[in-house]
Amino acid sequence: MISVSFIFFSFCSAIALLLTSYVVYLVIIAPRFNPLRKLAGPPLNGPLHNHMSPVLDPFRSPRTHAAYVEKYGRNVRIRGLGPWDERLLPLDPVSVAHVLKNSTIYEKPWQSRRLITSLIGCGMLAAEGHVHKRQRRVATPAFSIQNMRALVPLVFSKGEELKDKWMNMSQAVKEENVASEKQNSGQVEIDICHWISRATFDVIGLAGFDYNFNAIQNESDELFAAYKEMFEIAVSQGDAVRTVLGIYFPILNKLFPDERAKTVHRCQETIRRVAGKLVQQKKSRIIDGQKSGSAYTGKDLLSLLLKSNIATDLPPDQRISDEDILHNINTFMFAGSDTTSLALTWTFLLLAKHPDLQTRLRTELLSIVPTTPISRLSSEEIESLHNTLQNLPFLNNVCRESLRLVPPVHSSLRVATQDDEIPVSYPVHLSDGTISEQKSISVSKGSFVHVPVEAFNLDKGMWGPNAWDFDPDRWDHLSEDVLSLPGLYSNLLTFSAGPRSCIGMRFSMIEMKTFLYILLTTFSFTETDKRIYKANVVLTRPYVSGQFKKGSQCPLIVTPLESIATS
């Protein structure tokens, strides 16, 4: 008679054999049949070696991408996280355009979506397929040109508030200098990254769901603290190995939560409680307004989303749940505050490094300053000022050049959901050393495609030999190669391209130009003696050399222009 222990042992042995066979297939057999192996690519130093660090590190990636193009052409095979992970690195504009255009064939990998969902829920940043399409359809009316213009006075008011805060900080330094008989310059060292982040949180809080974090004045609001802690500490300062393990084995975070998992859970509880209540309040006001015949006039994104979601011309099966609404507000908070604040931070740093260009931009901005202070302008007058601001040529060039040189999103990852042929416009270098004139590259289902946003923006073959320099004037004489590049904004991939391009691009540009206008017409910005470097921590962030653990920092010397004039 067969014993129970023998049956159990046989069962375990069979499971182990199946797992071993699967691993052997995944690691040894399947990669041999991957068509990407036919492409040329950089060598490996061992079976566990990969190319992620030189490709993802913004300190090394420009040189890496340039070397790859020179040696291996514009469609390169690179190694991902394991021997089974052969990836395509396309540096051919036709290839990248195909990948970004066909968002149903090339989706975000489930690993990326699980990480995003674990933090901010399944909003537009994580959703795919019909779910993403439905959410985008509901959200698109909220981001119309008319609705974005209605938010302009709000952005100006927060820019003015930040300006006043910095003036108070400068005045405090002046008074200290007078008391100690030091030079009365009013210069103050300000962490631009920290303060602009607080301001953009304020903007997106009011624009997103009519909620005032009051972050410029203090950081005590519990909802602000929850968002900030989750985005900055849990994401930026998390342990990479534990994060990866949590993606593949999410039960780990439930059974054995580390500090990051505890922080995320605590922050999510606050967000669900406070922001969830805001969703219900807004929804009630809109429904009450419909019943009474007096429509609710809220212009924030949450109100517009809710109105769009219950519109009579939207079929019931196309509507999204209250939970999805909250997830998308979380998405707007993350994408709308962090990316714009970083774009502004890098712009101020670049202008501090190039004082001649800063002076030139300031001269252009001062030429449109009204005689009446902004605080006393009507909403219509502020919108008129903004219309003039939008069309300033050198401001446009500076913004485009900054977003080209340091895109907040360094790169993106897609996975093929089916076998596909990716078109090419350049000869293809093969692994046997030959160069093929083939018209496409075969990609198998499940293969990763690494979309190199920064690499396209810095490609010397497209942008010229000075592609790595800050040169706003390049935008006055773009080459045909640049004009053929894909991209939602000015032939750049900074805001992506295709059906998944950034829905908030217009709002981001309103914020960026408004803050530059208000702050550059009030202060000058110069570098400190601290070295600032770039690191790819979810987004491309500034850090002070030797102070990575302190988080993102970008200290600059800020001096009121009135102090310069009287010195």
Side-chain angles (χ1 to χ4, degrees), residues 22 108 118 497 515:
Y22 177 71
K108 287 187 177 180
S118 70
F515 275 75

Side-chain angles (χ1 to χ4, degrees), residues 543-555:
Y543 291 87
V544 173
S545 182
Q547 298 182 21
F548 180 78
K549 287 294 183 181
K550 291 185 178 181
S552 303
Q553 297 180 85
C554 185

